[in-house]
Amino acid sequence: MQDDFSLSFSTLSLSRGNKELFRDFSFTAEEKKVSCIMAPSGSGKTTLLSWIARKLCAEGRIVSFLFQEPRLIPSATVLQNVLLPLSNVLPPETALRRAADFLERVQLGQKAHSLPAALSGGEQRRAAVARSFAYPAHILLMDEPFQSQDLKIKLELCRVLRELLAAEPRTVLCATHDIREATEIADRILIMEGSPLAVKEDIRDVQSQPRALLSARLEALIG
């Protein structure tokens, strides 16, 4: 596996149909940190992450993606869902150990042989997190990863995510419009607005700032 945590691009312009999403957008992620892009729904965040994933894969980089939905295979067990992507990049025994280990880390070891239908919504999200982290990539892209979850589950998923990142750091780029989600997981937050999207505010060292004051600031910036 290539030991490369870098994620950078410059003067990127992207469109969707006739709509211009980004124009001359440049970005360099902080390595082994979580950067969140906050922008309205439908503004182009998913298109940006998809472009980044394609670019990295074209360069021969390994990238992991945590989608808006869990995207678990209904007919496969939880363990099989986590194991499947690993089978292409790791020896069988190593892949099995890693899949089982990450299920334990997200407290789903006891559900390893259950089908996704037997899991709650929060548990399905945990399984998706385990799958994305088990895949041995230094770059993790996340697209509204905890949407549609109630606050208790969302905070628990954010806690699990931070624990996994502390144990095995990644360079993470997360697209979201959720203030609570961003303040819980991000080290850096980019507020973007307009059409095409442009950076309105670039907030660093998020985790060192008082949560209430930061949330109020984000509320004011997002409007």
Side-chain angles (χ1 to χ4, degrees), residues 142-193:
M142 305 196 304
D143 186 12
E144 304 278 5
F146 307 138
Q147 70 167 1
S148 304
Q149 301 299 306
D150 64 37
L151 181 59
K152 182 179 179 181
I153 293 175
K154 181 175 295 187
L155 293 177
E156 176 63 13
L157 288 167
C158 289
R159 182 192 64 78
V160 169
L161 184 72
R162 295 297 302 189
E163 287 183 355
L164 291 173
L165 287 170
E168 193 170 300
R170 316 281 174 101
T171 298
V172 181
L173 181 59
C174 175
T176 185
H177 65 275
D178 188 300
I179 289 176
R180 190 62 183 268
E181 185 175 293
T183 57
E184 289 292 330
I185 66 174
D187 299 292
R188 176 186 180 188
I189 298 175
L190 276 76
I191 306 295
M192 303 193 71
E193 65 176 12

Side-chain angles (χ1 to χ4, degrees), residues 199-216:
V199 177
K200 180 179 182 180
E201 193 88 6
D202 187 349
I203 304 171
R204 310 276 183 137
D205 300 319
V206 169
Q207 296 303 311
S208 67
Q209 300 188 34
R211 192 65 47 83
L213 292 177
L214 178 59
S215 295

